[in-house]
Amino acid sequence: MVYPTSLCACLSLLTVLSCHSHVLPRLSFPIGSPGRSLTGFTNPDVYNTTTLLLSDNEDTLFVGARDAILSIDVSQTDAMTMKEKLDWSPSEKDLVDCAMKGKMKMDCHNFVRVLQVLNSTHMYACGTFAFSPRCIYIDSKTFSMVTGTSGKPEEGRGRCPYDPYQKNTAITVDGELYTGTVADYRGTRPVISRHLSEGSHVDLKLDDTLGWLEDPTFISSSYVPSEEKVYFFFSEIGKEYDFIDKFTVSRVAQVCTSDVGGQRTLQKRWTTFAKAQLLCQADLELPYNILLDIVSLPPPEGESEDETLFYGIFTSQWQVNLGRSAVCAFSLKDIKKVFTGRYKVLNRDTLKWSTRVQEQMANPGECGLHNASDNTLRFVKDNFLADKSVQPVNQGLTLVSLDKSYSNIAAQRVRGAHRRDYTVLYLLTESGYLQKTVLLENGAHIIEEIQVFHQPQPVKNLLLSVSKGAVLIGSSEGVISVPVSNCSYYWSCAECVLARDPFCGWDPVTKHCTNINTHDHLVQDVDEGNVSAQCTYVNPRSRSGQSRTPTSEVVSVSLNEVVHLQCPEASQLAKRHWERLNSQLSPRIYIQSDDRSLRFVATPSTLGHYLCQAVENGYTQTLVVYHVKQKSSPTILPATPNRPHSIPTTEAGSKPSVFTTRLITPKQTELRPKPEDMDPTVTLKDSPTTTTRKSRNFTRFSNIDKENSQTEPGENLKQADKPTYFQELVVVSVLLALCISALLTIAFHRFRYFCHGRTVPQTPSTRRDGEKGGSATPQERESLKGHSPCLEKRNGQTPNGQSRNGQAHNGKSPITLSNSMLNSSNGHLPNTPI
C-alpha cells in the first residue's frame, strides 16, 4: 500500500528532477568537419588500444593493446607516428588452455591492462594473457622486454584481472605498484594490494575474510604526496543499507604508503584501510549512486593540497534517472574530514552495521597503526566504514546531462586573460562525442562538442597532455588526439567573446582570435560573454559614421511559387528570427519551421528583402539577407503600399507556375571566410546604430539570374530599393493608346449601325426592285436603286453596282430585300414612320 505522503514525496521528486536545465553545447562539430581538426592513429595489425601512458616529457605515448605494446611519437600535435612495436602474444599452448576453460577465442588474447612507469629506466606492464595474468618489465630506452630475476614473466595474479572485460586500477609510487582488481579466475575475490615492495616494505593486501569489499567495480586511484596516501575509487554493494534490492554505492578508500602490516594481528594486511561513501546528490533528489569515472585536479599554484578536487561521472540505478549522467566534485579536505570522524561498526554475528556509541580506541585510517597493539588493530579491523558520507562541493551537482550518457572524464585548470583560473572538463559520451565544458559561477557552459567516433567505442582511457594541448582517447580501434583549443575558428571579436573559451582571446592589434598563452593584452570575457563591453572599438560608426550592410542574396522567382529560405545556424545557443524591411511577417502568410527556415508564396506583396538574424547573450548578428524578386514579365503588377523598392518583372512570354516550391540555401563553397574578407563590424542589441557582419558558416549566394537581376549581390540595400517609373510611364502610354483606339472603334460601329437603319427600303409594294407598275415614290425608288449616300459609304460601292475600283459584283445590288421585308400590314416599309 502506498500512503498519500509517500505518493506526494514521489511526485515531488519527479517534479524536481524535471526542473534540471538542459545545457546545450554552443557548437557541434560532426566527425570529419573541417572546422575541427582531429589526429588519429590506426593500424590494421593493432587492436584494442585502450591503455595509455605518457612519457615524462609527453613526447611519446605508450599504448597497451592486444598482444602488443606500442611506442607512438606525439611530439607534433597534428601527427601520430608509431615508432616501435613490442609483440607480447600468448603461445599456442596458452590459447589451447584458455579454450579448454570454456572461454571465447577472441577473449583468450593478451589484453594489456596495466602500463606504468616504474622508475627512470623501466616500465611495468601486466596483461590478461589468455586468462592467466602475466607481468613484464620494459626497458624505456631500448623499448625491449626484460624479465625478472627468474628469467620468466612474473605472475600477474592480484595485479591484473583475468577477464579483459573487468575493470581495474593501478598506480606506482616510489617503485611500488598499488592495484585494485580481482585475484581469482572467477572474479569473486576483490583485492586492494601492494606489489614490488623492497626493503622493510612488504607486499600487502586486504584480508579476504573480513568483507572489506562487497563486489566492487574499481574505477581509479590517485596518490596524494602530502598525505602519503593512495586513494581508490570504486562502486560496490552498500551492505549498510537494509533494502530488499541490492543498493549500489560509490566509495573512496585509502591506504597509507608507509603501512607494513601488523606484527601479529593483520600480518601482511592493511592496517590503514578505511572507506567512505561518495554522495552525488542534489536536494530532494534520488542520488546518482554508480561511479563511472573519476579524475583528480591539483590545486592552483601556491594553495594547499587540501584544495585538490576529484571530478567524477555518476549514473543512477533508479528508473527515474535512467539515461542521465551527473558530474560531482569532491574536495580532499572533505574526504579527510570524513575519514577523521566517527565510524560504523559491523556486528559479525548479524552482519548488521550500526553507529558506534562507545568511545573509540583509535582513529581508523590513521597512518602508523602498524606499530599499534593487537587490541587497537582488532578495533580498526572492525571499524573501517566511515559513518558520514562525503558531500559534493557546494552541496550540489556540478553538471547534469539529460540526454547524454558520459563515460570518461578529464579535467584541467586554465588561467584566463585576466589572471583568473577556470576549470575545464572534457567529457566523453557513450555516443562518441567529446564535450569541452568550462565551469562558471552561474553554471556549466559547454563550449563545443566534437564527434570522435562514427559508432560508439569501448573507451578505457582518457588522457590529457597539458604540454601538448591535446586530449588523447584510447578506443578499441585506435587512438584519437583532440586539440584542447580551436581559437582560429572564431574569426571576429564577437565570436571570440561569445565562445567564452578560457583558452582563447581576441587580439585587437592583429584582429585574430588566438591562444591566451601567447599574449597578455587579449580581450576575453569567459564569465559573462558580453560583446558590447569587450568589442566596442570595432563599431564602425564610432570611427567614420558609416555602417556596412551585409551582402544581399538575390533570388529570382515566379509568382505563385512557394519560396523556402534557409537560415544558417550561428550557434545552438542563439535564437534566430526573420525580419523584413518596412513590413511585418504575418503568420497567416509566412511559415517559420523548427529549423528556422521561412516559407511563403511569391506574390507582389511578398517580394522584397528578408533578413535572418541571431541573438545570443544580447548580441545581434545578421546571418543572411535574401532579396526575393520576380522574373521579368510583360504583366504590370500594381505597386505594393509601404514598399520602397520596385517590383521587377519576368521575361516576355513566360507564364508563372502555380504553387511551385523552391528551396533557397546559402552555398557552401567554402567553410570559413578568409581573414582578409572578414567584416569586423558587430551588431549590439543596446546600440542605437545597428551594423551587421558576415556569417561564418556559409558563403554568399552568387546572382541566381544575372541577366534579369536589377540588384547585384553586395549592392547597398538603399540603392536596390530606389524606385524607378520609366516602365510605368511606357505602360500607361500604351494603355492610353489602347483606350483611345477602343473608343474610336466603338464610335465607328455605332455610326455603321445608324447608317444601316437609314438605308432600309420603305415601299408598300410587294414587287421587287425593277418590277414595272410599282407605286413607290421617286425618292423610294432612288433608295431602292442604291443611291443612298449612307449605303454608298457603308459598302464602298457605286449606285450602279460597281465598286469604287470599278469592278462589278455579278451585276447584283449589295442589298437584297425579301418579300417579307417589303410587305407590311400598312403598306409601308418596316422601321419607317407613317
Side-chain angles (χ1 to χ4, degrees), residues 41 60-63 68-73 81-87 139-144:
F41 167 79
T60 304
L61 176 67
F62 301 104
V63 180
I69 300 175
L70 312 178
S71 174
I72 300 177
D73 183 9
T81 307
M82 185 174 68
K83 297 192 296 184
E84 294 179 274
K85 178 183 177 182
L86 180 61
D87 290 325
D139 192 309
S140 301
K141 294 183 179 180
T142 62
F143 199 68
S144 60

Side-chain angles (χ1 to χ4, degrees), residues 334-348:
D334 293 336
I335 294 175
K336 290 171 57 178
K337 183 179 179 180
V338 170
F339 279 135
T340 56
R342 302 183 66 87
Y343 280 77
K344 297 180 183 296
V345 60
L346 176 63
N347 189 324
R348 295 292 179 180

Side-chain angles (χ1 to χ4, degrees), residues 317-613:
Q317 73 180 94
W318 311 108
Q319 188 69 24
V320 69
N321 287 337
L322 189 64
R324 299 185 179 186
S325 293
V327 177
C328 282
F330 305 92
S331 68
L332 179 60
K333 178 175 59 178
D334 293 336
I335 294 175
K336 290 171 57 178
K337 183 179 179 180
V338 170
F339 279 135
T340 56
R342 302 183 66 87
Y343 280 77
K344 297 180 183 296
V345 60
L346 176 63
N347 189 324
R348 295 292 179 180
D349 297 330
T350 62
L351 298 180
K352 299 292 184 180
W353 290 90
S354 62
T355 302
R356 178 175 290 277
V357 294
Q358 68 268 28
E359 184 179 356
Q360 60 184 26
M361 299 178 59
N363 292 325
E366 183 180 358
C367 297
L369 290 178
H370 53 276
N371 293 323
S373 63
D374 292 342
N375 290 334
T376 301
L377 293 179
R378 280 192 291 268
F379 175 83
V380 299
K381 185 173 65 173
D382 294 333
N383 298 264
F384 54 86
L385 178 60
D387 183 45
K388 294 187 178 297
S389 301
V390 182
Q391 299 291 330
V393 175
N394 299 325
Q395 306 298 312
L397 309 179
T398 302
L399 174 65
V400 176
S401 176
L402 303 181
D403 58 346
K404 300 287 187 180
S405 297
Y406 296 133
S407 60
N408 297 82
I409 185 173
Q412 181 180 9
R413 202 179 303 275
V414 182
R415 177 151 294 184
H418 305 294
R419 314 301 297 174
R420 179 176 176 182
D421 291 334
Y422 296 94
T423 299
V424 178
L425 302 180
Y426 305 94
L427 300 166
L428 186 66
T429 68
E430 292 182 354
S431 58
Y433 281 86
L434 181 68
Q435 293 185 352
K436 185 173 76 172
T437 305
V438 59
L439 303 182
L440 306 174
E441 293 182 357
N442 56 353
H445 170 66
I446 303 179
I447 302 172
E448 59 183 349
E449 67 173 5
I450 307 104
Q451 186 180 8
V452 293
F453 302 118
H454 287 285
Q455 300 294 333
Q457 301 286 336
V459 175
K460 301 296 184 183
N461 210 332
L462 188 67
L463 195 59
L464 177 64
S465 175
V466 177
S467 63
K468 302 303 178 183
V471 179
L472 303 172
I473 305 171
S475 71
S476 60
E477 295 184 356
V479 181
I480 303 295
S481 176
V482 183
V484 297
S485 62
N486 193 28
C487 302
S488 60
Y489 183 80
Y490 310 109
W491 58 272
S492 68
C493 177
E495 284 285 334
C496 195
V497 172
L498 285 175
R500 304 170 73 176
D501 191 338
F503 287 100
C504 304
W506 180 259
D507 191 341
V509 178
T510 63
K511 300 281 191 301
H512 286 87
C513 189
T514 184
N515 196 289
I516 206 69
N517 296 329
T518 58
H519 301 82
D520 296 329
H521 59 280
L522 302 183
V523 175
Q524 186 186 73
D525 189 1
V526 180
D527 297 285
E528 301 296 335
N530 193 334
V531 177
S532 60
Q534 302 297 331
C535 301
T536 52
Y537 65 90
V538 299
N539 190 347
R541 287 188 180 275
S542 62
R543 298 197 304 261
S544 60
Q546 297 178 356
S547 63
R548 298 175 60 187
T549 58
T551 304
S552 176
E553 311 288 347
V554 179
V555 181
S556 298
V557 298
S558 301
L559 291 183
N560 296 329
E561 180 179 344
V562 178
V563 184
H564 184 191
L565 303 180
Q566 289 280 36
C567 182
E569 187 176 60
S571 79
Q572 296 189 106
L573 302 182
K575 295 182 178 179
R576 292 172 291 171
H577 65 277
W578 288 89
E579 289 189 1
R580 188 183 178 193
L581 299 180
N582 304 322
S583 180
Q584 298 292 330
L585 299 181
S586 173
R588 296 178 300 178
I589 303 176
Y590 299 93
I591 300 176
Q592 299 190 35
S593 305
D594 294 337
D595 60 353
R596 308 316 300 168
S597 60
L598 186 68
R599 290 182 176 88
F600 59 91
V601 177
T603 62
S605 62
T606 59
L607 300 178
H609 288 87
Y610 294 86
L611 291 78
C612 183
Q613 296 183 331

Side-chain angles (χ1 to χ4, degrees), residues 75 152 240 708 774:
S75 57
K152 297 180 180 180
E240 68 270 28
N708 301 321

